[in-house]
Amino acid sequence: MANRFNIFFAFVMVLGAIPTIAGSVTQELVRSSTAQSMADSITVAGRFRNIAENMPRIATIIECEISNKSVREICELDSNSSFCRKIPLSYPHTFTVNYNQSNFINVFAAPGDSIYMDIDASATPLSVSFSGDHEDINRQYNCAFQHMQSYYWSVNLPSDTVAFDEYMPIFKEYIRQGRDSIACYARVHNLSDEVTSMLHIDNIYSLANMANGYQGRNMEEKRAFFLDPIFDLFNEENTKLMIFPYHISAIMNYFPDVRDSAPKGTVRDIMYVCDEEAPTPDRSVFFNQNYYNRLYTQNNPVNIISLDGIRPGDFYVYINREIKEISDVNPITWLINENNRHPIYLDVSATWCGPCRAAIKGSEYIREHYKDSDIEFAIIWLNSSKEAWLKVAPTISNSIQIFINNVEMEDRIKGHLRINGYPTCLMIDKDGNITKEGVPHYLSPELPSFLNSHL
C-alpha cells in the first residue's frame, strides 16, 4: 500500500503538458498513425512555445495506469520544440504530461484517440490549447482541475486512528465543500455536465487518497471507511479518473474479498491488477481482453530498462561518511563502475516520502547482514531538497547515496528506469543488467532469498 500511496503524491506533482503540432498536414499524419495502432493505445503530440534558453527540452508523458507496467515516456523535443508519441491506454481515463517538474496538464483520452496541444512554456500554470479528440472536455477539465488543487492542499483530515463515527462526518464535510466549490466554478465557467461529473469524482477520490492510511480503532472501522457508499465503488464512471484506482489499490491490500461482489467490468479488472499478491488471473475473468493481454500475456517492451538516454551530468554522492560532487557522468554508469561488477540493490526514493524513509530505516539489519558480501546497496534520491537529504543521509548506514539536483536528469532517470512511484526497487546484476520485475521492497520477507540468489 505504501508504494501506491506514494504514487498518489507523484500524481499530484506530475500533471503535464502537450501542445498541438503546427499545421494540418502533421495532424493528419498523426491521425493516420493512430488509425493503424492497437486498440489500446493513443497518440499524443504537441509543440512548446517560449522555452527559455535554460529550460529543459524534454517532456514526460505519464500514462497513470495502476499496474507496474504503467508507461512514463520521455519525449525529446525536436528542433521545432515538438513531439509525438504513441502510448498504451487500455480504457478511457485521464493521464498527465509533465514539463520542468512543477508544470502539469491533466488530459482525458480513450483508446484510439489522438490528442494535440499547443503549450506556452512561459506561463505558470502552463497555458495550453487543445485540439484533436475531446478538445472541449480537456480545455475545461484541465483548467478546472488546476483551480481545485488549492482546495485539496488546504484539507486537514483528522488522525488516521480517529474513530469512524468521528472521522467520517469530517471527511464528508470536506467533500461537500469541494462539491460546492465545483458547482460555483461550473456555473461561472459554463462547464459541461460531463466535465462537472469528472470533477465530482476527482473531489471524492483526491480526498480518499489523502486518507489511504486510515486505521480507525479496528478492522471493522477501517472497512466501513473504505467501503462507504459515498465512494460508489462499482460505478464505471469512476474509472475515467486516474486517481480512482489508488483507492481500489488500498482496498485490495486490506480487503481483497471485495472483488467477489464486483460485477464484471473495468472496476473489477482494476481490482485484479491491484491485487499484487494474487496469482495471475485467468483471462476469462477480465472484461477488457486487450487490457489483460497487455498486462499478463505479452512481452512488454516498455519495461526494457536502458541507460542510453540518461545523459552525463553533475550529482552528489554520500559514501564513507563523505559528500562528493561528481561531474559529467551518467550516475547509474558511475554506480556500476564504482562497485566493480558487484550486484547492486538499488532503491529510488524521495526525502518527502514517509514510507520510503521508514523502509530504509527499518531495513538497517538487512544492509548490516550483507555488508561483507558481494551485494552492494544504493539509494538514488529524486524530487527532493538538498537540505532534507543532507539531514537524512548521515542516518543511513551501509549504502551509497546519490542525490540528483537537476530537473532534466531526474526526468530522464524516472523515464528510463521506469520509475512510476516511490519507493521503487531495482536490481543491477554482475553484468550491469538492470531490472525492476520481481524485485522485493526493503521490508518484504522475500528480500533475503532474493539477494542470496544474486550472490
Side-chain angles (χ1 to χ4, degrees), residues 208-316:
N209 277 273
M210 295 178 188
N212 257 353
Y214 180 72
Q215 301 293 317
R217 294 173 298 182
N218 50 52
M219 287 299 289
E220 288 74 22
E221 290 196 341
K222 177 187 275 193
R223 189 181 185 94
F225 170 75
F226 282 98
L227 304 185
D228 191 273
I230 198 170
F231 296 122
D232 195 13
L233 287 181
F234 302 140
N235 186 342
E236 293 283 307
E237 287 294 300
N238 292 337
T239 65
K240 292 164 61 174
L241 281 300
M242 60 186 174
I243 195 67
F244 168 72
Y246 301 111
H247 187 73
I248 295 297
S249 181
I251 289 173
M252 296 311 297
N253 274 281
Y254 300 135
F255 313 110
D257 62 288
V258 172
R259 188 175 52 217
D260 297 339
S261 59
K264 193 171 186 176
T266 304
V267 176
R268 195 175 76 168
D269 287 354
I270 294 172
M271 287 182 171
Y272 277 106
V273 175
C274 289
D275 191 356
E276 297 177 338
E277 302 302 319
T280 300
D282 186 82
R283 192 173 188 271
S284 63
V285 303
F286 258 62
F287 168 73
N288 185 335
Q289 299 293 293
N290 283 334
Y291 191 27
Y292 182 90
N293 291 342
R294 177 194 167 196
L295 298 182
Y296 299 109
T297 64
Q298 296 179 341
N299 292 329
N300 195 9
V302 300
N303 276 337
I304 296 173
I305 292 177
S306 170
L307 304 182
D308 294 344
I310 304 175
R311 295 177 180 172
D314 302 339
F315 53 93
Y316 295 93

Side-chain angles (χ1 to χ4, degrees), residues 413-432:
I413 289 173
K414 285 185 289 186
H416 291 285
L417 296 188
R418 306 297 173 189
I419 306 302
N420 296 315
Y422 302 118
T424 292
C425 298
L426 305 97
M427 195 70 197
I428 304 175
D429 68 16
K430 297 176 182 179
D431 297 320

Side-chain angles (χ1 to χ4, degrees), residues 252-414:
M252 296 311 297
N253 274 281
Y254 300 135
F255 313 110
D257 62 288
V258 172
R259 188 175 52 217
D260 297 339
S261 59
K264 193 171 186 176
T266 304
V267 176
R268 195 175 76 168
D269 287 354
I270 294 172
M271 287 182 171
Y272 277 106
V273 175
C274 289
D275 191 356
E276 297 177 338
E277 302 302 319
T280 300
D282 186 82
R283 192 173 188 271
S284 63
V285 303
F286 258 62
F287 168 73
N288 185 335
Q289 299 293 293
N290 283 334
Y291 191 27
Y292 182 90
N293 291 342
R294 177 194 167 196
L295 298 182
Y296 299 109
T297 64
Q298 296 179 341
N299 292 329
N300 195 9
V302 300
N303 276 337
I304 296 173
I305 292 177
S306 170
L307 304 182
D308 294 344
I310 304 175
R311 295 177 180 172
D314 302 339
F315 53 93
Y316 295 93
V317 298
Y318 186 85
I319 184 171
N320 297 326
R321 297 287 173 181
E322 293 183 3
I323 294 176
K324 300 178 181 179
E325 186 171 5
I326 308 296
S327 299
D328 200 29
V329 179
N330 176 326
I332 313 300
T333 301
W334 175 89
L335 179 63
I336 293 171
N337 293 338
E338 182 74 11
N339 286 281
N340 194 26
R341 298 176 69 84
H342 283 200
I344 304 167
Y345 181 81
L346 175 60
D347 172 82
V348 182
S349 286
T351 55
W352 47 262
C353 167
C356 296
R357 298 195 308 271
I360 293 169
K361 181 179 179 180
S363 58
E364 284 284 354
Y365 74 98
I366 286 282
R367 296 191 298 279
E368 176 70 21
H369 177 78
Y370 286 95
K371 71 177 182 179
D372 295 322
S373 74
D374 280 349
I375 299 288
E376 303 287 351
F377 293 88
I379 304 168
I380 292 182
W381 298 98
L382 300 178
N383 297 123
S384 304
S385 75
K386 187 178 178 183
E387 291 75 15
W389 174 63
L390 291 175
K391 290 179 181 178
V392 74
T395 69
I396 300 169
S397 302
N398 301 312
S399 184
I400 298 171
Q401 299 182 55
I402 299 175
F403 178 80
I404 307 298
N405 197 29
N406 178 280
V407 170
E408 186 164 328
M409 183 180 284
E410 285 181 336
D411 286 342
R412 290 181 186 279
I413 289 173
K414 285 185 289 186

Side-chain angles (χ1 to χ4, degrees), residues 197-213:
S197 174
M198 290 170 65
L199 291 170
H200 285 317
I201 298 170
D202 255 332
N203 178 44
I204 292 172
Y205 285 101
S206 291
L207 294 173
N209 277 273
M210 295 178 188
N212 257 353

Side-chain angles (χ1 to χ4, degrees), residues 124-154:
T124 302
L126 295 168
S127 175
V128 187
S129 298
F130 292 91
S131 56
D133 294 299
H134 310 295
E135 174 181 337
D136 289 337
I137 288 176
N138 285 322
R139 174 180 54 80
Q140 295 180 30
Y141 179 68
N142 178 64
C143 292
F145 185 93
Q146 298 286 357
H147 169 77
M148 288 299 297
Q149 291 313 292
S150 60
Y151 170 70
Y152 298 136
W153 284 116
S154 70

